[in-house]
Amino acid sequence: MGIELRQRWGAQPVWVRCALVVYVIGFVEGTRAHVADLLRGGLGAYASYGPVVLQVFFISLVVLDPIVVVLVALARPNGVWLGLVVMAMDVPANVFANWSMLRQDWWSLVRPAGMLPLTLFSVFVLVSVVPLLRHLSASPSAA
């Protein structure tokens, strides 16, 4: 497995490896944030975030984010796909959950903590997904 993984990563252009590392860092940070929320507030950590479906989604990120990390670290195309799905759901969920705060203080969107890193990372994922999938899917061991 280790040799195959090194070959899979080594077969990728430098920009693909760098993009995959950014994915790993971003989803590790997401995992860290959601685990910290659950450690602080338990299963009710997201109780003020609105509907139960949002609360369940935010809790599920404790599992989904690490799955993305593992799949991307293995240079698997399905990790990039799952990352896109997670971010496509995470940003609207966060906007919905934080809507009243965002309406009162829209500058919070450009502060270095909170929505800005999430938004920038989601833009990165959105912009990089097609080129990454092209390269990862073209690899002989992309299965």
Side-chain angles (χ1 to χ4, degrees):
M1 177 66 173
I3 293 171
E4 180 185 329
L5 182 59
R6 266 184 271 158
Q7 289 173 341
R8 196 174 313 134
W9 272 80
Q12 301 305 325
V14 172
W15 73 265
V16 170
R17 287 182 272 171
C18 290
L20 294 176
V21 167
V22 171
Y23 271 59
V24 168
I25 291 169
F27 285 102
V28 164
E29 171 55 24
T31 301
R32 184 214 55 81
H34 291 287
V35 166
D37 289 345
L38 289 177
L39 288 175
R40 265 192 312 273
L43 291 177
Y46 301 107
S48 65
Y49 278 45
V52 172
V53 69
L54 278 183
Q55 297 172 44
V56 171
F57 171 70
F58 286 123
I59 292 169
S60 75
L61 291 176
V62 171
V63 174
L64 291 173
D65 283 351
I67 291 172
V68 174
V69 169
V70 169
L71 292 172
V72 168
L74 293 172
R76 301 290 188 187
N78 51 4
V80 175
W81 275 116
L82 182 58
L84 175 65
V85 170
V86 166
M87 294 312 298
M89 294 169 46
D90 197 12
V91 172
N94 269 283
V95 168
F96 182 87
N98 294 296
W99 184 248
S100 61
M101 184 257 321
L102 293 171
R103 280 188 31 207
Q104 292 173 358
D105 181 18
W106 65 272
W107 279 102
S108 63
L109 287 171
V110 294
R111 290 193 188 111
M115 292 295 293
L116 181 63
L118 177 68
T119 304
L120 292 175
F121 181 63
S122 66
V123 168
F124 177 79
V125 169
L126 183 64
V127 168
S128 65
V129 71
V130 170
L132 280 175
L133 286 171
R134 280 190 188 133
H135 280 276
L136 293 176
S137 297
S139 295
S141 58

